[in-house]
Amino acid sequence: QVQLVESGGGLVQAGGSLKLSCAASGGIVSIHEMRWYRQTPGNQRELVAGITSGGYTNYADSVKGRFTISKDNAKNTVYLQMNNLKPEDTALYYCGADIKTWGVAATRAYWGRGTQVTVSS
């Protein structure tokens, strides 16, 4: 069974940096896209950044120039380098991925449980 496990969250002062990781495991044939989302209480989940199997990246306007998404195909891991963090970046950050697994014809979306990022002013 596929699992996505995030790590790297924490408490940081405004202007600081954090690097999040999300490792996928469990019967994986291929990963088509991996994404980072974030959500704060009472608000909808926001797409922060995505990276395709071919390396194409996209970012939310609010994080362009500050966040960088990257991946390590050999480790089935996606990263989110977050620089110049702002208090409004405080949220629970989730990893999502479109994955094809053994014995299943279609690609499915999978989600991690999230890692908390808190930015103090």
Side-chain angles (χ1 to χ4, degrees), residues 9-94:
L11 173 64
V12 64
Q13 288 188 334
S17 298
L18 284 174
K19 186 173 184 177
L20 307 182
S21 300
C22 172
S25 62
I28 296 171
V29 173
S30 59
I31 300 177
H32 294 261
E33 184 170 356
M34 299 188 83
R35 297 173 296 274
W36 285 99
Y37 295 83
R38 64 188 181 187
Q39 189 170 22
T40 53
N43 293 312
Q44 288 187 333
R45 185 171 55 203
E46 174 189 18
L47 176 63
V48 176
I51 185 166
T52 68
S53 57
Y56 176 80
T57 59
N58 63 285
Y59 297 91
D61 288 343
S62 58
V63 306
K64 282 180 180 177
R66 299 187 299 121
F67 291 10
T68 302
I69 189 170
S70 61
K71 63 187 176 79
D72 184 331
N73 292 330
K75 296 181 179 179
N76 287 333
T77 299
V78 65
Y79 305 97
L80 186 68
Q81 176 67 47
M82 306 185 295
N83 298 327
N84 190 21
L85 282 160
K86 303 175 181 181
E88 51 264 42
D89 293 318
T90 295
L92 186 63
Y93 283 72
Y94 294 91

